[in-house]
Amino acid sequence: MDIRTRVKSHKRKKVDGAEQYPHVLQFYSVPPTETISLQEFEEFAVERLKVLKACETAGIKHIRGTEAYNDLLHKEIRKTKLRNILKTSGKENLTEEDIYGRKLDHISHFILRLAYCRSEELRRWFLQQELDLFRYRFQNESIQGSEEFLILNNLDYTPIPSEEKEKISGELAYSISSGHVSTADFFKVYFTDALDLVKSRKVYLKGGYAYVVRDDLISILLSVYRAKLSKALSQTSRALPHLEEDDRLLPMLCGLSKRYLGQDYTNKKPSAGQITADMIEVLSKKSFPLCMQHLHQVLKREHHLKHGGRMQYGLFLKGIGMSLEEALKFWKTEFIKLIDGDKFDKQYAYNIRHNYGKEGKRADYTPYSCMKIIMSNAPGPGDSHGCPFRHTDAEMLKQKLRTNGLSKDAIEEVMTTTKRGHFQLACSKYFEYIHGGVTGDGDVPNFQHPNQYFEESQKRLNGDKGLSQSTPKTPKVVRRVPANSQTTPSQSKSQSTAQTQNSNFGELDDDFMMTEEEMGLLDQKVTN
Amino acid sequence: MSEKHNYDPASLPDLLPVYYKRLFPYGPYFRWLHYGGVPKTYFLNREFSFTLKDDVYIRYQSFVDQSDLEKEIQKHCPYKIDIGAVFSYKPKERKTIKASAFQAQEKELVFDIDMTDYDDVRKCCSGADICEKCWPLMKIACKIIHAALVDDFGFKHILWVYSGRRGVHCWVCDEEARKLSQTGRTAIAEYLSLVRGGENQTKKVSLDETLHPSIRRALNIIEGYFDKYSVKKQDFLDSPEQWDKVLALIPIEDVRKQINGLFDSLGTNSSTRLTILREQLNNAKEYKKMKMTMEEIMVQLCYPRLDVNVSKGVNHLLKSPFCVHPKTGRVCVPFDVSKVDSFNPFTVPTISQLLDEIDNCEITDTTKKVKDFKKTSLAASIEVFEKFLKNLEESWKGKLLEQSDMKMEF
């Protein structure tokens, strides 16, 4: 097959590179080898970043796959230099421009891989946007174009024969939203090829095989792409420290990745030790986001938290600057009201030290971001963790807001936002009401991280400059590179180089995978 | 149970050496975890961990063969043995290799169902306690999970084990299951989870009108138990405090109020109130909005609640079969899931009972050849285990042949 394709494309070959890019879509399996100038390097990266940013914005504003979503994405991508990726396949004769577009797509993807592989949070963001982009582009393809792509990537499945279909038509009817089983194409794949569909129970399973309807093939395709990309990102991040490089690329890459994401609240060494156990009670009332405040209250009331709660709350406390010693003291004080100290030391102290990278594989764990709290590890019976805007009954949430002193109108507004599925926005609105409305410059924070909430809150309460003056024990916000940095690479060079060396490569995880559900972003209709 | 079998946790250190010397079924146990030597390193690279007296915990134990395992277990007499993953190297030697090269590669797909997770829907006990009034929940759980594993996922080698106290464990041992990635395990665990939401969510289940075939099947299983369990065992509509919890799951307030009124005026006990509930839900004006409410109630009260974190990780440890639970003294015995209805956790032998049994046998029986465990009430459980093993062994016979063919050894 390999040979045949090559011969074929030789015959057709009119333009250099047609062979390298047989389809407008690709899984980006092979890194580019061209030489490009430093200027181009940055330019390509910035352009792709614009595209990914557009994916994010479209995903927040509209439900994916809707017309509004597609229109917005189309409009935004057209404005960038990557506009060629909007083209679909199916053209017989490729022009130089077509090939150039594909090359740009290829190179820019790989540059951002370098920039966004360095922490779980970054990888998560990059992966999500890239997958959304891929989905959008794939769905624009004609049936023929998409089939060609499947064949090129050895993913050509054949539909099951109609006799087989008839036998289980009752069960198959479940997987199609409209139309009739007899007119739909079903593909039989081993269930491990369709894990997203299995996970969300969108597919009929029998004897280990999933019966996937044609419309859902994209899901299989995306999981293949996700698995590839996720693995590649892990590998890249491990290779990055060994990159022999003369201080020109890395600083720029760091700057790039900071552009659209806040900091990840790892390695906040300078602030460690400034928050003590006895300060928490007061701080929890003033500056904790609702999720952490809730965990704190449960801990006080029950003298216990289940594992999910201990992780979410414990890492948050670490993130605001509580040292290991203080953390042990803090948890022990509560837990020993129920169990004896000896049991605490044996059962729980290990985990706390583990969180601080003092046990096991000695990874320094990152505080959970809002995305992680909302999307992964939803609370089960007996659990208290999660996001109050996502995982709490409306009535109970209202009550909580009332207790915290929100006015009726304010509660109404927060609740409406919550009902629409904008959980982080609801949290930001809550923040505004708690902190006495929008500040002069109209800067409404859009929270991505509970620790960001805490720092914003401290900033508001203590004044911008006076973080460490008014409350000496509050951690200093150490931004290694300013978020939304507008500095050029050369300007921020010294600063960000230092950061790269500090960066934490220990927490990288081969199993880092995002699921369809997690990709579903907050704006998707969240049932349940 | 006769008086003399009463188990006293303080005596455990004296009983364990005899148990591990004479009763622990090393032979079948090794045959299981050796998996016929396909591949050869499977047993060698398997992690075991021991919990000793006073919660001293030693991880990353590994053994070269059955006699090594036997020797080490008898030397330490662990209070608890956990089985972990098969790693890329011998866990014992992990310190001699680079940390990044030491990776968990395979493990059985496991499920842990624990009665503690049902505390909000059982009124008889809470926490670690169980009784015959809540035990039906475990029967339902076993049946639903087992049916899904067999019918939906096509697994064949499934071992069910009573955990010794308040729940059950399930070990899926098919090759495909052992090779599953974390994502694969997570997907299966999620597929099997219907009851979601923590302390802050009252209504933990919402079902679509078109039920997924697997949920339909689960509901059929629940229906077989529901009336008897909820009315006779739990008496779940006995008092206003009880029924308030159930009525809270009805989405429309007017209907809720109306049923509440009828419960008070017409209802005499849980049975009549259940009839009222069903009738009212069926006949309500707002029926369209509540088509699935009765089903949702049944699922919330009875559907299995998995500890998904146990299932997700390749690296997660789970208590081994044939351990003795230190608090109850009961042995973690495998049981036949097709006979789960007649399985009674309160007749599972305790370690003291078993030791009494061999002592008694010795007086009457002088034939030495019989294995000790066969003389005790452990025999039935070991038979279940042997049956499971026999099927499992069939599965690798073909594999071994294939391997030797490849090496041209005839």
Side-chain angles (χ1 to χ4, degrees):
Chain A
M1 174 168 172
D2 216 354
I3 298 167
R4 205 184 41 175
T5 0
R6 199 180 303 161
V7 173
K8 222 173 167 182
S9 54
H10 261 299
K11 269 190 210 158
R12 273 211 303 217
K13 188 170 150 191
K14 300 231 165 79
V15 192
D16 254 3
E19 192 184 340
Q20 197 189 348
Y21 303 109
H23 197 282
V24 66
L25 282 172
Q26 52 173 318
F27 276 152
Y28 310 99
S29 312
V30 189
T33 48
E34 282 91 337
T35 310
I36 58 169
S37 73
L38 204 55
Q39 216 171 358
E40 281 174 312
F41 186 86
E42 198 191 5
E43 190 190 333
F44 292 177
V46 170
E47 291 303 311
R48 193 172 192 93
L49 211 45
K50 284 185 193 158
V51 172
L52 297 188
K53 181 66 186 163
C55 291
E56 190 189 28
T57 318
I60 290 172
K61 286 198 178 146
H62 307 289
I63 293 172
R64 262 184 335 213
T66 57
E67 209 172 307
Y69 173 90
N70 291 342
D71 287 349
L72 180 64
L73 206 48
H74 187 85
K75 203 179 92 205
E76 290 298 317
I77 296 176
R78 266 181 71 96
K79 287 188 203 155
T80 69
K81 291 196 171 132
L82 278 166
R83 67 184 79 86
N84 268 329
I85 62 172
L86 290 170
K87 290 193 174 157
T88 53
S89 68
K91 211 162 132 190
E92 268 299 309
N93 296 316
L94 294 172
T95 62
E96 297 248 358
E97 199 198 338
D98 292 331
I99 297 299
Y100 179 71
R102 292 178 188 188
K103 190 176 274 177
L104 208 61
D105 177 27
H106 185 211
I107 297 175
S108 62
H109 168 90
F110 270 93
I111 298 175
L112 287 200
R113 250 195 215 183
L114 285 175
Y116 279 83
C117 67
R118 290 168 309 114
S119 76
E120 188 184 320
E121 215 52 36
L122 291 172
R123 291 195 297 259
R124 201 175 264 276
W125 186 86
F126 177 69
L127 194 54
Q128 169 151 13
Q129 314 316 333
E130 282 285 342
L131 281 169
D132 277 351
L133 178 63
F134 185 87
R135 184 201 328 260
Y136 168 72
R137 292 174 66 188
F138 187 81
Q139 282 171 343
N140 279 347
E141 284 289 317
S142 62
I143 291 195
Q144 197 200 346
S146 49
E147 253 161 26
E148 267 171 32
F149 182 76
L150 291 172
I151 292 167
L152 276 170
N153 288 284
N154 293 324
L155 292 164
D156 43 335
Y157 301 105
T158 37
I160 56 169
S162 45
E163 308 88 72
E164 193 176 349
K165 215 158 66 176
E166 265 159 41
K167 260 189 244 162
I168 47 172
S169 63
E171 284 83 0
L172 291 180
Y174 173 83
S175 347
I176 48 173
S177 45
S178 60
H180 199 263
V181 174
S182 57
T183 57
D185 278 342
F186 283 91
F187 302 87
K188 186 175 168 181
V189 302
Y190 194 60
F191 79 90
T192 48
D193 286 341
L195 288 175
D196 282 331
L197 298 171
V198 171
K199 188 175 177 179
S200 49
R201 245 181 263 111
K202 275 188 193 143
V203 69
Y204 170 61
L205 282 173
K206 188 167 178 252
Y209 288 91
Y211 292 81
V212 182
V213 71
R214 187 184 281 278
D215 289 348
D216 286 336
L217 268 185
I218 176 75
S219 162
I220 296 181
L221 202 59
L222 283 176
S223 32
V224 172
Y225 182 36
R226 178 187 316 135
K228 278 179 197 273
L229 187 51
S230 151
K231 194 170 159 217
L233 284 170
S234 291
Q235 282 169 348
T236 315
S237 66
R238 235 173 273 134
L240 200 59
H242 309 294
L243 190 66
E244 283 189 30
E245 187 294 301
D246 53 5
D247 281 359
R248 289 182 302 171
L249 285 187
L250 280 179
M252 184 160 82
L253 291 175
C254 293
L256 275 174
S257 63
K258 288 289 162 195
R259 247 174 231 212
Y260 288 117
L261 270 183
Q263 50 180 338
D264 58 3
Y265 301 93
T266 39
N267 272 18
K268 289 177 56 74
K269 294 274 149 57
S271 65
Q274 300 191 37
I275 295 281
T276 56
D278 46 2
M279 293 161 69
I280 297 299
E281 186 64 36
V282 178
L283 282 174
S284 79
K285 294 207 174 78
K286 283 202 308 202
S287 286
F288 280 18
L290 216 45
C291 51
M292 300 302 169
Q293 201 179 64
H294 175 68
L295 283 167
H296 184 75
Q297 286 162 357
V298 174
L299 176 65
K300 282 279 175 188
R301 193 175 64 225
E302 313 273 334
H303 314 300
H304 185 80
L305 277 181
K306 289 186 85 169
H307 181 75
R310 295 201 300 274
M311 290 300 286
Q312 182 177 326
Y313 191 37
L315 289 171
F316 168 79
L317 291 176
K318 178 176 127 177
I320 69 171
M322 190 186 251
S323 69
L324 173 59
E325 291 68 33
E326 285 297 318
L328 285 167
K329 192 170 120 193
F330 173 76
W331 289 99
K332 193 166 180 173
T333 320
E334 277 310 319
F335 273 52
I336 54 172
K337 292 176 185 163
L338 212 64
I339 58 171
D340 59 54
D342 198 36
K343 197 169 175 203
F344 175 85
D345 290 340
K346 269 174 195 142
Q347 287 194 351
Y348 300 103
Y350 179 91
N351 276 92
I352 296 168
R353 285 197 300 274
H354 196 265
N355 280 349
Y356 279 77
K358 302 292 179 207
E359 299 280 359
K361 63 177 176 180
R362 302 195 171 256
D364 203 356
Y365 288 90
T366 325
Y368 292 174
S369 66
C370 294
M371 197 65 123
K372 182 157 181 161
I373 292 171
I374 293 171
M375 289 303 174
S376 53
N377 192 25
D383 279 333
S384 312
H385 66 266
C387 168
F389 299 98
R390 169 70 182 90
H391 299 115
T392 303
D393 282 346
E395 279 311 309
M396 232 180 275
L397 180 59
K398 263 191 201 165
Q399 195 182 318
K400 192 147 238 163
L401 297 174
R402 227 175 345 241
T403 319
N404 285 2
L406 261 65
S407 69
K408 216 174 155 206
D409 291 346
I411 293 175
E412 215 36 61
E413 194 187 341
V414 172
M415 292 310 294
T416 320
T417 318
T418 307
K419 267 182 210 129
R420 284 215 208 107
H422 300 283
F423 310 117
Q424 285 156 282
L425 201 59
C427 187
S428 304
K429 290 205 163 138
Y430 165 80
F431 176 91
E432 290 303 336
Y433 286 115
I434 288 290
H435 294 81
V438 183
T439 47
D441 49 11
D443 171 30
V444 184
N446 184 12
F447 293 122
Q448 303 291 336
H449 207 294
N451 290 71
Q452 185 192 359
Y453 181 109
F454 175 80
E455 288 181 2
E456 264 325 301
S457 166
Q458 286 288 299
K459 230 197 280 180
R460 285 284 179 92
L461 294 171
N462 305 324
D464 235 340
K465 53 177 191 321
L467 254 187
S468 45
Q469 283 170 357
S470 43
T471 44
K473 282 178 178 172
T474 312
K476 251 194 297 198
V477 185
V478 184
R479 288 197 195 277
R480 285 160 303 196
V481 173
N484 298 318
S485 153
Q486 294 303 316
T487 48
T488 66
S490 57
Q491 280 169 319
S492 64
K493 188 155 124 187
S494 55
Q495 196 183 2
S496 36
T497 312
Q499 183 217 343
T500 326
Q501 284 155 358
N502 279 336
S503 271
N504 176 15
F505 291 99
E507 54 152 345
L508 300 172
D509 202 342
D510 267 339
D511 283 325
F512 167 71
M513 284 271 194
M514 284 185 74
T515 60
E516 184 80 346
E517 191 187 353
E518 282 174 90
M519 309 305 307
L521 246 178
L522 309 180
D523 231 69
Q524 289 279 39
K525 180 183 67 168
V526 183
T527 47
N528 189 11
Chain B
M1 207 193 300
S2 66
E3 270 302 299
K4 62 179 177 179
H5 295 326
N6 269 358
Y7 166 75
D8 170 17
S11 65
L12 192 63
D14 303 326
L15 304 177
L16 277 175
V18 191
Y19 175 78
Y20 283 127
K21 183 106 195 133
R22 304 189 52 185
L23 287 170
F24 192 89
Y26 296 99
Y29 189 76
F30 174 78
R31 267 162 58 215
W32 168 34
L33 295 170
H34 184 54
Y35 286 98
V38 201
K40 282 208 168 87
T41 50
Y42 221 76
F43 184 78
L44 300 174
N45 294 351
R46 170 80 74 163
E47 178 192 354
F48 293 85
S49 80
F50 291 165
T51 309
L52 310 180
K53 200 170 177 291
D54 298 324
D55 291 330
V56 175
Y57 191 47
I58 29 179
R59 275 198 72 171
Y60 299 116
Q61 302 293 296
S62 63
F63 311 107
V64 291
D65 54 19
Q66 186 186 330
S67 74
D68 188 25
L69 168 87
E70 230 172 297
K71 204 180 75 208
E72 289 298 311
I73 289 184
Q74 288 173 5
K75 188 170 118 198
H76 291 288
C77 284
Y79 274 41
K80 182 169 155 232
I81 302 171
D82 283 294
I83 300 180
V86 177
F87 283 83
S88 45
Y89 293 92
K90 289 178 193 159
K92 244 185 185 162
E93 295 167 5
R94 81 188 186 289
K95 288 203 169 131
T96 64
I97 31 200
K98 249 188 26 206
S100 57
F102 184 69
Q103 300 277 356
Q105 291 183 313
E106 291 187 19
K107 200 193 64 189
E108 291 76 9
L109 168 66
V110 293
F111 297 98
D112 180 8
I113 311 165
D114 198 327
M115 202 66 100
T116 349
D117 293 324
Y118 291 87
D119 277 1
D120 61 323
V121 289
R122 54 179 186 148
K123 71 166 185 182
C124 48
C125 330
S126 70
D129 296 326
I130 56 163
C131 71
E132 54 92 30
K133 283 185 178 150
C134 49
W135 188 253
L137 287 170
M138 284 294 147
K139 298 180 184 176
I140 298 172
C142 290
K143 284 195 174 172
I144 290 178
I145 302 293
H146 193 79
L149 292 172
V150 174
D151 298 350
D152 299 354
F153 293 98
F155 294 130
K156 293 186 186 72
H157 305 290
I158 302 169
L159 183 68
W160 285 92
V161 181
Y162 170 56
S163 76
R165 194 180 194 184
R166 58 184 176 197
V168 293
H169 296 160
C170 171
W171 298 77
V172 187
C173 304
D174 296 62
E175 194 183 345
E176 294 81 6
R178 285 181 272 135
K179 287 186 164 21
L180 279 173
S181 66
Q182 173 159 4
T183 329
R185 289 163 203 260
T186 308
I188 297 179
E190 296 286 331
Y191 177 85
L192 295 171
S193 302
L194 271 183
V195 185
R196 291 167 201 279
E199 298 284 87
N200 293 322
Q201 272 156 298
T202 320
K203 190 170 157 74
K204 296 187 169 70
V205 179
S206 58
L207 299 175
D208 284 341
E209 262 175 60
T210 38
L211 285 175
H212 188 272
S214 73
I215 301 178
R216 182 72 264 165
R217 181 185 53 219
L219 270 168
N220 287 341
I221 294 174
I222 294 176
E223 271 161 11
Y225 287 88
F226 191 74
D227 288 20
K228 197 170 160 219
Y229 161 71
S230 59
V231 174
K232 292 232 173 82
K233 303 269 185 189
Q234 290 289 327
D235 207 0
F236 78 132
L237 300 174
D238 178 41
S239 62
E241 300 91 74
Q242 290 294 317
W243 75 59
D244 275 353
K245 279 201 256 169
V246 177
L247 295 185
L249 306 177
I250 298 173
I252 294 164
E253 206 179 336
D254 291 347
V255 181
R256 207 183 304 148
K257 278 190 186 145
Q258 190 184 343
I259 298 182
N260 192 37
L262 290 171
F263 273 12
D264 250 338
S265 56
L266 292 178
T268 47
N269 54 30
S270 288
S271 173
T272 52
R273 288 190 190 108
L274 178 58
T275 319
I276 295 174
L277 178 67
R278 284 204 170 110
E279 275 174 7
Q280 289 301 315
L281 286 178
N282 270 330
N283 300 329
K285 272 203 309 270
E286 299 86 346
Y287 174 69
K288 271 199 175 149
K289 287 183 191 152
M290 298 187 302
K291 270 186 188 161
M292 301 313 285
T293 302
M294 194 59 218
E295 279 81 2
E296 284 164 355
I297 292 174
M298 295 195 331
V299 167
Q300 178 148 347
L301 296 183
C302 297
Y303 190 86
R305 299 174 172 206
L306 300 173
D307 184 344
V308 286
N309 291 320
V310 176
S311 306
K312 282 178 182 174
V314 181
N315 199 5
H316 209 289
L317 295 150
L318 186 65
K319 182 156 76 160
S320 159
F322 297 108
C323 281
V324 177
H325 196 292
K327 292 266 160 47
T328 61
R330 295 195 198 281
V331 180
C332 302
V333 288
F335 61 88
D336 183 348
V337 71
S338 65
K339 295 179 188 144
V340 64
D341 282 327
S342 52
F343 177 79
N344 179 351
F346 302 104
T347 57
V348 168
T350 62
I351 183 169
S352 11
Q353 179 191 343
L354 291 172
L355 297 189
D356 281 352
E357 283 170 6
I358 25 177
D359 284 348
N360 290 339
C361 272
E362 252 148 42
I363 307 166
T364 53
D365 188 2
T366 44
T367 47
K368 286 233 163 139
K369 289 271 162 84
V370 184
K371 285 249 170 67
D372 278 337
F373 60 73
K374 296 212 165 134
K375 297 184 245 171
T376 67
S377 28
L378 204 55
S381 315
I382 290 180
E383 219 169 276
V384 174
F385 191 50
E386 287 280 0
K387 204 173 124 197
F388 155 81
L389 270 179
K390 209 175 146 245
N391 287 331
L392 191 61
E393 280 165 346
E394 292 293 324
S395 76
W396 62 64
K397 263 185 194 148
K399 286 267 157 57
L400 277 177
L401 265 176
E402 247 169 61
Q403 275 187 357
S404 64
D405 278 358
M406 298 227 291
K407 287 184 204 146
M408 303 292 277
E409 292 166 357
F410 292 103

